[in-house]
Amino acid sequence: MSGPAEDLHDWGVAELSRQLAERTVSSVEATRHLLQRAQSQHDLGAWLCIDADRALAQAEAADARRQAGESSPLLGVPIAHKDIFVTRDLPTTAGSKMLEGYRSPFDATVASRLSAAGTVTLGKLNCDEYAMGSANENSAYGLAHNPWDRKRVPGGSSGGSAAAVAARHIPAATGTDTGGSIRQPASFCGITGIKPTYGVCSRYGMIAFASSLDQAGPMARSAEDCALLLSAMSGFDERDATSAQRPPQDFLAAMTARRDGADAARPLAGLRIGLPKEFFPAALAADVDGAVRRALAELEKLGATLVDVSLPRTELSIPVYYIIAPAEASSNLSRFDGVRFGHRAEHYTDLLDMYRKSRAEGFGAEVKRRIMIGTYVLSHGYYDAYYLQAQKLRRMIADDFQSCFGNCDLIAGPVAPTVAWPIGDQDDDPVKAYLADIFTLPASLAGLPGMSLPAGFGEHGMPVGLQLIGNYFNEGLLLQTAHVFQQATDWHQRAPAMEQSA
Ligand code: GLN
């Protein structure tokens, strides 16, 4: 076997998998190449830890399995995990000082399923503290930069995952999405990501932010690559009480399934795509609006029909989410008390003082803000006024989607109102970042699957994502539509120039 191809890092999961199967490259060679690339671009800030020895040992094992005749598609494919999935052999921080040095006694289900499928884990990826944020600026371990412009944010909270995939350190990564954290960084970094229906991927071992919203998913360069990962990482798990009881799914098969009435020229014939008028407000940046509309025109050319629909409570999804998510977070994060988990203050006078100081030292500003909001909206006297109202509205937001799906098969729109903003731009006002979640929150509150795919470029040469939202368990249709689009366009293949430094 000759040396590995120089452009190996440009291969996506499917391409790398083909090359591994044809033995033009070994997993050890691919792993070594990508490790070298990730390590030499450490200043991108995407990684919280890289374990080269362990990765190479896994790659060797994968090569041996191939030699022995095994041929599963992910066997020997290097990936990495958002540092919110607990892993036994690598540290887990959730981007928080609270968990510095923490080692989990077990692997998250998503991580163990991907390992069982033969993936090689290079390390763990930077993220906002406890997945709270939209820019990766809330990580206790420093910024991650956008590979398209290092002065800009990569999005969040799965910012490290998006940056590492876009920078070609790895062909794919895991992410989690509570209110947009897979879709928005995917959009900001020009990659493809899917948040499946709530319950499709197990939450076991995923450090909890807002349990009724948290959902894991893959981030990669194409819909095909996402389908390969999602097939391995999803499925019922008895250790997660909210896991969907459904048979394992082959998302690649769903992605390539024949559509009734479709032909080569019009592969999306018969597909009705709903455009909620609330997803195209006057405040939508013109460059984002333009790129999204050109992508929609392309989908129309491919046979889809665009129909007008309405999600009248879109704006309300912001206050609803920023009541429910902090409420759940305040409860979930109470376990980090310096006793059972996490950082413990060195000096304290009594037990209460120990709790207080440990939490004051361990949590960052945004996490504290959310714990305070959450505790407030759940408190006696305010529960009815805030939390209960938010829950009622959440149901109405979900119902609005069902009315839309009476008239369309999929919903489309932008992922975020602007392209990735400059680092530090929203430091003075957290609410500015909250408002930018407007297009991702509705699907999260409804528990619907949503995806982001590269749709072109906007101002400053920054990527723009197109969001597709499907009805429950319609991941196959989302992936299929995205795949057809990606066969007709090459936005997802564009790579950032990596020679600039931070
Ligand atoms: N930006 C949202 C927030 O800060 C979403 C985060 C997420 O999906 N994890 O809560």
Side-chain angles (χ1 to χ4, degrees), residues 12-191:
V13 175
E15 178 60 19
L16 181 57
S17 175
R18 272 190 288 276
Q19 303 275 354
L20 287 166
E22 286 167 16
R23 309 285 164 89
T24 48
V25 70
S26 70
S27 176
V28 168
E29 286 171 328
T31 301
R32 206 169 267 142
H33 177 96
L34 296 175
L35 279 168
Q36 200 271 329
R37 190 172 166 85
Q39 281 162 337
S40 71
Q41 293 173 6
H42 210 77
D43 59 353
L44 190 65
W47 297 84
L48 292 184
C49 95
I50 293 180
D51 188 338
D53 293 342
R54 195 172 154 275
L56 287 165
Q58 289 180 341
E60 253 172 57
D63 285 336
R65 279 166 68 179
R66 278 216 190 259
Q67 289 293 344
E70 253 186 79
S71 65
S72 50
L74 296 180
L75 185 55
V77 173
I79 61 161
H81 297 300
K82 180 178 184 179
D83 202 19
I84 198 116
F85 293 95
V86 301
T87 44
R88 214 181 41 199
D89 299 326
L90 296 166
T92 303
T93 68
S96 181
K97 209 183 139 202
M98 185 57 103
L99 284 175
E100 194 165 3
Y102 174 67
R103 284 278 178 156
S104 165
F106 65 94
D107 280 327
T109 297
V110 160
S112 63
R113 287 196 175 159
L114 284 166
S115 294
T119 58
V120 170
T121 311
L122 299 198
K124 306 290 284 287
L125 297 159
N126 205 351
C127 59
D128 282 304
E129 186 173 5
Y130 291 99
M132 299 177 191
S134 306
N136 213 108
E137 289 174 299
N138 299 334
S139 167
Y141 301 98
L143 298 171
H145 300 263
N146 192 311
W148 292 92
D149 176 353
R150 293 204 179 194
K151 293 189 181 62
R152 288 175 188 267
V153 301
S157 62
S158 313
S161 302
V165 172
R168 272 70 182 152
H169 296 177
I170 31 170
T174 54
T176 62
D177 191 311
T178 302
S181 281
I182 288 176
R183 290 163 284 161
Q184 183 257 27
S187 172
F188 279 13
C189 289
I191 65 165

Side-chain angles (χ1 to χ4, degrees), residues 217-289:
M219 301 172 76
R221 289 185 214 126
S222 67
E224 184 182 17
D225 291 359
C226 283
L228 284 167
L229 257 83
L230 191 57
S231 302
M233 64 198 271
S234 59
F236 175 67
D237 180 8
E238 60 182 15
R239 285 172 299 191
D240 171 2
T242 56
S243 175
Q245 296 231 23
R246 296 168 65 87
Q249 287 190 77
D250 180 348
F251 291 102
L252 198 65
M255 185 190 86
T256 47
R258 241 200 68 78
R259 295 179 49 81
D260 283 344
D263 57 49
R266 293 169 58 79
L268 296 180
L271 182 74
R272 294 165 307 164
I273 299 179
L275 308 181
K277 64 171 183 290
E278 296 79 5
F279 276 31
F280 296 89
L284 182 63
D287 57 336
V288 173
D289 184 72

Side-chain angles (χ1 to χ4, degrees), residues 310-314 317 320 390-405 411 441-448 470-472:
S310 175
L311 289 169
R313 273 165 277 250
T314 296
S317 66
V320 168
Q391 290 291 17
K392 288 181 182 164
L393 278 162
R394 181 179 186 175
R395 160 61 59 188
M396 293 165 97
I397 288 166
D399 290 346
D400 289 343
F401 274 106
Q402 291 314 307
S403 310
C404 283
F405 286 127
I411 288 167
L441 298 179
S444 296
L445 289 165
L448 293 166
N471 211 342
Y472 299 110

